[in-house]
Amino acid sequence: MSVEKLDVRGKMCPLPVAFTKRKLDSMISDQLLEVTGEGELEFDNVQRWVKNQGHQVVQAQKTDGEFKILIKKC
């Protein structure tokens, strides 16, 4: 199964969470979504929202001011 991609670089909270929600709503269970963005607050908020909604954070990493979060829709 392919990995869907979502780029939220340059977006400030709450937009990264809102865009992640919209994208996950259009996906089926067990699909993967890779969210790329920037900002410490955005990194934390996206992960928190994903977990609170019952989805799984497969991987989360920060490098050079950017982050990538791999999410499995549950």
Side-chain angles (χ1 to χ4, degrees), residues 27-46:
M27 295 169 59
I28 60 171
S29 291
D30 294 330
Q31 259 190 301
L32 295 174
L33 172 63
E34 181 184 81
V35 179
T36 303
E38 54 196 4
E40 188 71 33
L41 180 64
E42 290 75 10
F43 180 69
D44 293 340
N45 285 348
V46 169

Side-chain angles (χ1 to χ4, degrees), residues 7-65:
D7 186 347
V8 295
R9 287 178 284 199
K11 308 288 190 239
M12 297 176 71
C13 277
L15 291 177
V17 170
F19 289 145
T20 300
K21 177 191 183 311
R22 184 180 305 158
K23 187 67 173 174
L24 283 170
D25 285 347
S26 72
M27 295 169 59
I28 60 171
S29 291
D30 294 330
Q31 259 190 301
L32 295 174
L33 172 63
E34 181 184 81
V35 179
T36 303
E38 54 196 4
E40 188 71 33
L41 180 64
E42 290 75 10
F43 180 69
D44 293 340
N45 285 348
V46 169
Q47 290 183 82
R48 185 178 309 111
W49 180 86
V50 165
K51 291 174 186 175
N52 287 341
Q53 296 302 307
H55 305 298
Q56 179 183 358
V57 174
V58 176
Q59 184 178 10
Q61 62 185 28
K62 292 186 288 186
T63 53
D64 298 328

